[in-house]
Structure formats: structure tokens, C-alpha cells
Amino acid sequence: MSQLRPALVAVALTLTIATPAQAATDPVVTVENGRTQPVFSYADAVREHVYVESSVDSDADGKADRVRVDVIRPKESGPGLKVPVIIDESPYYDNSGRGNEGERKVYDAAGNVTKFPLFYDNYFVPRGYAVLNVDMLGTTRSDGCPDIGGKADVLGGKAVIDWLNGRAKAYRADGTPVVADWTTGKAAMIGKSYDGTLANAVAATGVEGLETIVPIAAISSWYKYQRSNGVIYNYDYASWLANYIDTDPEAKCQAVRDRMDAEDGDDTGDYNAFWAERDYISGLLGDASKVRASVFVVHTSNDLNVKPDNFSTWWQALAERNVPRKIWVGQYHHVDPFDFEGRRGVWVDTLHRWFDHWLHGVRNGIMTEPRADVQVGPTQWIRQRDWPAPFAAKVALRPAADGSLGLDRAAKGATATFADVAMEEEEMIADVGTAKPGRVAFTTGPLPLSLRLSGTPTAELRVKLDKPTANMTALLVDFGTATRLDWRRGQGITTLTEEDCHGESTAADDACYRKVVTNVAERPAEIVARGWIDVQNRSSLSSPSPLPAGTYGTVRWQTLPHDYTFRKGHRLALVIAGTDADYSSEQGTGANVTLDLSASNVSVPFAVGTPLADVPKDRTTFRGPERFELPEPEREFSFF
């Protein structure tokens, strides 16, 4: 019996996390099957708001900006039962709203939120968490001015973590001080797009108490969001976005917007101090080396809003520093995983176990599972030990003078020419066998087996110009009719009228959301990877060097990453063109570009095999194969 008693005590501790001061009749955080259980009343939860004092004065009114924090937490939470915190900090609570249904905060007469957007509060508060909806500085009910990824954005969110851990001050609406005596200090930040960007930014400061982040379709570098190797996507974007999310009178923050316009370097497209302040991988306010939090990245390879190089470079930096991490890579456009068809229940459960592990210390095995979930078809997912596919092999595809694309080097002296003019992508890939002045195109023959691209292709071209610079576009294209995920229409999803529910509801705030289905379309071609560069930025993003006219130079750059399967019988094409009118506001330089074909290639990471044939449709728990073998004669990639 003496040996049995310690074992029984250990089992009891794994089932219930309680504190001696807690009354026996009150619910306590309860764990079963590796998951916290919904034992707290959502209807009776404490709903309150506070104003956290930050370390910045972004609106220059002589007072430190205060961050509005709306809190919902179990009524039992307090000095006797401390709970961890899930934070969604956002600039969108009073403009575009959050989620697929555009939910906004709804307030009662006392100014407390009665409807918190999204399901996080409905689901996690009953399970022993507090949920905080934070108004980013300069938005909704916070003070200050938004500075689009800069100091105010970052330090406002950091102040909330500091308050939760007793390092910052907060006040109620009447000015009385308030402390967060109801929390363990352990916090998570989660959110899509700008919200997830704030999570990345705050984590990069290394703030203590931020245990994990879940950035969804999030920015890691604002330069990458608005630039590609010197090519400008949009002019004066930061000031435009700041004005959109700020609902104060325009005059209040006009000086801040004017400063951003003056500092953003739109006249050159170069990387400067403005962008370094807004770089969370290796920037001025923080970087990947300071990240203490674990990171659960979610992004999609067809997200051409927050383009996927924002997740791939962040993911690589985290991997190099052995940050505990997990990733989902989808094929939709700018879509939350809650709205991946067939994955909603999987997402909620995975997120639940992730937060339980990192915030409540539950040993539920989530860190021993395969690290990556990857979408390989409209309703097909595989799981693998990492992303990109660890078994991918880089293959150099080389263009030839006859318009073919293969493994052999073109003959010495072989060239191709085009002019840097602004073209839409549809025109770039049309009639690839026909010469066009604004592009050159090279194609393989029909593929004898399916090939999966997993990772980031790299274009390496030897070029000469008749002007100091030119914009260049590289496209990898899949030619072959197939039913593909139609990410262009509705960002890849159609919202239905039927709902499902995740969490508990009140009359003011229900936990039910409309289901979605994936949009598909049969198309003859798909642009798989895109990449852009201004030739004068070939050696440096911050110090341009024009290419002397008539002189060859090597231009090397990465396209956007992808995870995509080229099917057997399709043709793979490389298209090189000038300015991409679909994604850049720039005009073409008019330069004539000559490619030295014998010294040019695109390197593509291929995971060889036919995963689509092996992955069941409409399944979400399938663990895909981690290696796809080729017959011996084909291992040399001799099939182009």
C-alpha cells in the first residue's frame, strides 16, 4: 500500500490542477485525455477592461500611450486560482472585424465587451484560460497612432505581457490602478494577418512570459510584405493602411503618416532603417535570436496578400535556433485554418493541445508528433517530420535556345532576349511556344511521373542590359488540365449557411460559425512559383549597384515558396519576363534584357514520387509517407 499511494497521488495530479486556497465546491482546472476540460461557466465569466501603460508616446501628446485590453476569464480566477492567458491583439476590432464573418466587439453600458470575436473565448475560458482582446495602439479604444509594424505596434503589445507579469502598470477607466493577480503570467499570442504579425513582433523582443505564439498568415518582415528584392508592390502603403485602421479624426495622426511616407524609400525600393525597424527576423527592435516562445506557424502557399516568403524565412530562422515549433502549410489564399475544409475540428483540437502543453504544462505528446501538416490537394493533407520535405532534392533546370527546359546546359553563346515592360501574368504564360517581346518561355516535355515541389526555387540568370537596371520576373508554371484548388475565387472557400459550434455560448456571444467548402476549378495551367527582383539590387537590398550597359552579370534570387505536385503527363515551364503588373505598381524600365542561356538555371526542390495517388481524399488524420522511392533508372532525373 505504501508503494501504491505515491502512484495514486501522481495520477490525481495529472487529472486536476488545483490550489490549496481553492474552495472544495469551486471548479478547478481539470485535465482528461491530455486536454483541459470545460468545467468553468462561460456565462458567469468575469468581463472587464483595463488600460495598460506602454513605454511609447506615438501621438506626441506628452503622455505615454495606453493600450485598451478587454478581458474575459473564469469567475473563480484570482489569487487563489491563477490562469494563463490567450491574447489576440488586433487593429481590426472596429473596422473590418475578425474572422470569415467579420465579427466586431460589442460592448455593454459599462464599456465591457459582451461579444468577443472568434471562438477563442467561447472555447478556452471554460477550460481554465483568460482570453484578452487587445486593441493595437492607435486603433479602436487604445491611445496613440499606428505605425505599421514599428515601435508603437511592437512595444504596445509587449507592455501587455509585462503587465501580466507585474512589470507594467494598468488602470481602470476611472484611473484606479489594477494588477493582474488572477494570472500565472504565462501568455500566448495568436491571430491571423496583422494580429499574427504582432505576435511575431512581440516574440522577437524576447519578452519574458510570452510562452508561445500562433502566427497565422502573418508578416515577419514588412519589407517582404511590400517589396521583393527592390521591386515595389505598392507605393505609400504604410500610410494608407495606418489611415484605414485608425478611426480617429485624420488630423490626429497625419504627422505620423507623413513621416512614414518620407521614410519608406519608395523612390528606390531599397531596404533602409524604416524597414529594419519592421523586420522581426533580423531587425532593430528584435530578431529571431531573441525568441523565447514556442511557435506554431500556419500559412498558405497561395497567400499573395501576406506572401509565403514571410513564413518560410521566419521558419528557417527559428529552425536554425532550435526554437520549439510546429507548422501547417495549406494551399488556400489568405485563409484562417478554422476555415480549411474538413480541418476545423482538427484545428481546434490541435490548438487546444498546443495551448494546454505550453500554458498549462500538460504532457499530451504534441511535441513528439510529426512537425508539419501539409496540404497536397484540395482536400488532401499529409503529415511529415518537417517542412520543406526533408527528402527534397534540388534539381537545376536549364533553358535552351529551342525553348526547351531540361537538365543539359545550353550551347555556349546561346541567348534569349526580352524587354522589361509591365505585363500581367496571364499574358506572360499565354502561348508559350510563341515569341513575345516581353517574355521568354521554356518548357519540359510531358512528365513521366509526378513531381512534388516542396520549398523555395531559386533562379540564377546571367544577363546583360542596355540600361542600368530592369525588373525581372521568374514564373514556374504547370501546364496540364486538372481540377485544382481555386484560391482566386473567394480566397479558395465558399461560406455555407450551416453552422457548427466550438465552445459555449451566451445570448450575446455564440460559439457557432458557418461551415465552408473548398472552391475548385478545372484549369489548363497553374502558376506555381513567382519571384521578382530589381537587377540593381542583385548584390544588396540596401546598396543598389546598376549593371553597366552591355556587361553580363549574374542575378540570383528566390521565388516564393510552395508545396505543389506537378502531375504525370503535365509540362513544367520557366517563364522569364519584366515587370509583373499583377503584383507591382512599378512601370517597366524598357530595358532590353539578354539571357546567357548556358549560364542560367532555376533550381527546384523536388520530393520525388506520387503523393496524390497515396493520400486519401476527405481525410484529415492520414499520416502520409515520408519517402517516395523511384525506380533505379529514374533516380538521376533523366526524364526531362
Side-chain angles (χ1 to χ4, degrees), residues 224-228 231-235 301-308 333 422-426 428 471 473-475 487-488 526-527 529-532 560 578-586:
K224 289 184 183 297
Y225 182 57
Q226 283 302 304
R227 303 281 193 273
S228 175
V231 175
I232 298 173
Y233 298 148
N234 301 286
Y235 289 98
S301 53
N302 288 310
D303 187 343
L304 291 171
N305 176 353
V306 180
K307 297 176 181 63
H333 195 340
M423 295 177 66
E424 294 180 350
E425 289 184 345
E426 185 175 350
M428 290 180 183
N471 292 333
T473 296
L475 305 178
W487 53 269
R488 297 170 181 83
E526 179 81 358
I527 297 173
R530 301 165 167 82
W532 308 278
L560 300 179
T579 302
D580 188 332
D582 285 326
Y583 297 104
S584 174
S585 298
E586 295 190 42

Side-chain angles (χ1 to χ4, degrees), residues 150-172:
K151 186 177 180 180
D153 283 14
V154 178
L155 298 184
K158 178 180 179 295
V160 176
I161 306 296
D162 285 335
W163 172 64
L164 294 172
N165 287 275
R167 300 186 298 265
K169 297 178 181 178
Y171 303 88
R172 300 202 182 276

Side-chain angles (χ1 to χ4, degrees), residues 321-340:
R321 293 159 178 81
N322 295 315
V323 172
R325 62 201 182 279
K326 188 174 181 64
I327 192 168
W328 278 22
V329 181
Q331 288 189 354
Y332 298 91
H333 195 340
H334 197 56
V335 174
D336 191 289
F338 190 75
D339 295 311
F340 293 175

